[in-house]
Amino acid sequence: MCLPPEKASELKQIIHNHLLKMDIHGKIREVLAETVKDDQGSSHQPLSEADFVHALQRRGIIDNVMKDLHLTQETATNIGPQSPPKPAAHYVDQDSTHIKKTNIDLSRRYLYLQVLGGKAFLEHLQESEPLPGQVCSTFTLYLHFRNQRFRSKPVPCACEPDLKEGFLLEIHRDGFGDGSKMVDATTMLSMCDPVHMVLIKTDTSSETTLVSSYFLDWRTVLSLPSCKTCFAVELMGVGSESKIPAGVLTVSLELFPPLPETLNTDIISTQQSLERQRTAEKERLFLVYAKQWWREFLEIRSSHQSKLVKIFAQDENGVNRPVCSYVRVLRAGRLLESPRQAARFISLLAHERAPVVGGGGKQEQWCTLMAFLCRGKGDCEDHAILLCSLLLGFGLDAYVCVGTKAKGGPHAWVLTRGTDGSITFWESLTAHRYLHQPIDPDAPPLALQPKPSSPYQTVGCVFNHQTFLANCQPSDAVELCVFDLQNQSHWKAMSEEALKSVCAPGSTTSLPPVPPLCAPSLDPAVVSNHLELEMRLLVLEHRKDLDLATVWDDHLSYLLSSALSAYEMERSTGVSYGNEEFQDAVRRAVPDGHTFKGFPIHFLHRNARRAFATCLRSPFCEEIVCCRGDHVRLAVRVRVFVYPENACAVWMMFACKYRSVL
């Protein structure tokens, strides 16, 4: 293996320091003296190098040196979507703490980020240390840097959480064909991509909460002689608490291999200052343009004041950003096969509005994509933005719509335009699709009009990554709207150049980088079997409390799999299949004179007790679980379908067969 000169010298220095620490010279002198005295005796024969090495081996000194000298470190946990050529040192599966190793490319440069512990998480000041084996709330730290994603092991929540992890971040060039070249100091100085750190709290019922979202500028390490630094990072809260500290993490940064010549501190601070000034100027000019555009929009009709035209939105850190900057063209690689499967995946991410302390209505919070994915749930805007981004990646002409639903509440969904002019609405929370056919208000009274198929009431604006259009039609009712977006009398557009100046990737340093989707780490068969065993135990306990015996029919349980697979396929593709085969198999498995009952149900979580309690609230399921009769046989089947980001569609089916007695 050929090492670069700086790497070879560093390796020599590591070995030299280790040998000094072991006092190897003293041991060699002792062995030399003993060998000369004992082994050679008085024969005065010359002592060869082979004799001396043999003596060192006999006394176990060489073995001790090699055993103590570890040239690898247990460093980072990487959950990237697919394995790049040689990105990071280690990665960890979601439900495993087994560290897997991979090679480090010595021709590339890395940033070794260590988290050395946390302190001042005052919200957990009163929490006592958990007992061994006790289920407790945990903190998990997620990182994203230049298309690489990492996750720490979960640690118990505490005022001073034991967050101690190392992450090896690869610093690669962006140019075509330059990815394998070692980046120099000047190139790294121009990289304004921050390390996005997201801290998530998971409670004892597996509910997640976004604690903090922080962007770390790592380039200060370029000016230090050792290319190593250690400092405290103050994490702020999110939403209404974005100005309140959530806690402090001690972070160490080290560049590997070190730079032969470091940069001056003034050069780095000047570069950062110039980036901030350029960003501030672009944002100021866009704000001036947006105000002028809004005045023109209000002059068209005075009623436009009440329309839901959303130009800016606050992220989790309370930063106002143009809504177009939240949408990106996002490709899922091999993780998602079609637009409908993408819609199914997003519908599996739970819907939860931003938490509000006290009353006062809805708290506005449009999360960055990284925070949304790490948390695994979000509001309708988060779902719609991710769906629009993925549909754009699949080559569709997609837009996010902002308006209201039938009950009048604010809502966001996605619109796609076909090449034939057809308009399709996509509900990101359910993956339902609706074909839009507008009503003609000028049609004769007796003319047939299409019935509204969607649950949407009004639409104020539509946007994607490079277009923003406000609805300036006489009525903003969805059923009357015509979505000919090029018609300026129906839709008022913002300047694409103005939007590009603040929303295009790389246009400003304030735009958060977009992370890739992660491949699932859960094994569907393993989690399905585990959850099915839990459900069987719960049914057994429930029937035992009712003084009922439980006899399982394993063959019938197996037959239920095809039905569950068909249900998920229908949700994912919109096409139903396999019902005839399932019905035929059940008829063969149920003898003459017996009755069969089945109850399928769908969940977004894998909590067995919570799911069973929900099932028992249905009279149909309770009738099956508590079935009494002659020759009663019970069956239960669980199928867990795993999607990117470990989003799970959990299908369960309870069934029974018994002899009918008149």
Side-chain angles (χ1 to χ4, degrees), residues 356-423:
V356 182
V357 179
K362 181 182 174 182
Q363 165 82 25
E364 181 184 78
Q365 181 179 302
W366 292 27
C367 283
T368 56
L369 181 55
M370 179 68 177
F372 176 41
L373 294 176
C374 294
R375 188 177 165 220
K377 58 185 177 184
D379 211 338
C380 58
E381 294 88 359
D382 303 322
H383 287 77
I385 287 166
L386 178 54
L387 178 56
C388 182
S389 299
L390 286 170
L391 294 184
L392 288 167
F394 277 110
L396 300 183
D397 187 18
Y399 302 82
V400 176
C401 300
V402 177
T404 60
K405 286 187 80 171
K407 293 182 180 179
H411 192 65
W413 66 97
V414 177
L415 168 154
T416 54
R417 295 195 308 158
T419 52
D420 58 352
S422 62
I423 301 296

Side-chain angles (χ1 to χ4, degrees), residues 596-638:
F596 170 83
K597 291 182 179 179
F599 175 78
I601 190 168
H602 174 253
F603 294 100
L604 302 183
H605 61 82
R606 306 197 314 275
N607 187 314
R609 289 195 176 275
R610 198 167 126 206
F612 189 61
T614 304
C615 292
L616 288 181
R617 285 199 286 270
S618 165
F620 301 105
C621 184
E622 187 185 24
E623 187 179 336
I624 292 170
V625 172
C626 306
C627 181
R628 297 171 183 267
D630 185 24
H631 205 70
V632 175
R633 296 291 182 267
L634 293 171
V636 64
R637 193 65 169 173
V638 176

Side-chain angles (χ1 to χ4, degrees), residues 184-424:
D184 54 20
T186 308
T187 306
M188 286 190 286
L189 180 63
S190 65
M191 293 179 180
C192 55
D193 304 68
V195 179
H196 191 182
M197 307 170 71
V198 174
L199 186 64
I200 298 291
K201 175 186 173 182
T202 308
D203 65 18
T204 52
S205 61
S206 300
E207 290 294 322
T208 55
T209 307
L210 177 61
V211 177
S212 184
S213 174
Y214 183 83
F215 296 93
L216 173 68
D217 193 332
W218 52 276
R219 289 174 293 179
T220 51
V221 77
L222 301 176
S223 66
L224 302 168
S226 61
C227 290
K228 186 174 182 179
T229 182
C230 185
F231 51 90
V233 170
E234 186 178 46
L235 302 178
M236 308 303 285
V238 295
S240 58
E241 300 176 15
S242 59
K243 306 299 181 187
I244 302 171
V248 175
L249 293 180
T250 304
V251 174
S252 164
L253 295 177
E254 183 177 4
L255 209 57
F256 175 79
L259 293 170
E261 291 184 19
T262 57
L263 299 175
N264 190 295
T265 308
D266 294 338
I267 293 176
I268 296 174
S269 57
T270 302
Q271 172 72 14
Q272 292 170 334
S273 176
L274 285 172
E275 288 172 356
R276 285 193 296 269
Q277 290 173 15
R278 188 166 65 245
T279 295
E281 180 61 15
K282 286 184 176 181
E283 289 175 346
R284 186 190 68 81
L285 290 174
F286 180 77
L287 181 60
V288 170
Y289 167 75
K291 287 180 176 178
Q292 176 61 32
W293 180 91
W294 177 247
R295 281 195 294 268
E296 293 172 359
F297 180 67
L298 293 182
E299 287 172 2
I300 298 173
R301 285 186 187 87
S302 58
S303 61
H304 285 180
Q305 182 73 48
S306 60
K307 286 190 176 182
L308 275 175
V309 179
K310 193 78 178 164
I311 304 172
F312 295 93
Q314 282 190 355
D315 64 13
E316 67 266 23
N317 291 325
V319 177
N320 266 314
R321 295 199 284 122
V323 292
C324 295
S325 69
Y326 288 86
V327 182
R328 287 283 181 271
V329 178
L330 185 60
R331 296 179 179 88
R334 305 268 181 193
L335 301 180
L336 295 169
E337 301 294 337
S338 67
R340 294 195 186 190
Q341 193 179 37
R344 174 61 175 157
F345 153 60
I346 293 165
S347 71
L348 297 174
L349 301 172
H351 175 224
E352 182 179 275
R353 290 189 171 89
V356 182
V357 179
K362 181 182 174 182
Q363 165 82 25
E364 181 184 78
Q365 181 179 302
W366 292 27
C367 283
T368 56
L369 181 55
M370 179 68 177
F372 176 41
L373 294 176
C374 294
R375 188 177 165 220
K377 58 185 177 184
D379 211 338
C380 58
E381 294 88 359
D382 303 322
H383 287 77
I385 287 166
L386 178 54
L387 178 56
C388 182
S389 299
L390 286 170
L391 294 184
L392 288 167
F394 277 110
L396 300 183
D397 187 18
Y399 302 82
V400 176
C401 300
V402 177
T404 60
K405 286 187 80 171
K407 293 182 180 179
H411 192 65
W413 66 97
V414 177
L415 168 154
T416 54
R417 295 195 308 158
T419 52
D420 58 352
S422 62
I423 301 296
T424 305

Side-chain angles (χ1 to χ4, degrees), residues 2 30 83 98 241 325 335 345 426 465 509 558 583 591 613 625:
C2 182
E30 288 174 13
S83 299
H98 175 66
E241 300 176 15
S325 69
L335 301 180
F345 153 60
W426 301 64
H465 61 304
T509 55
Y558 177 72
Q583 289 182 358
V625 172

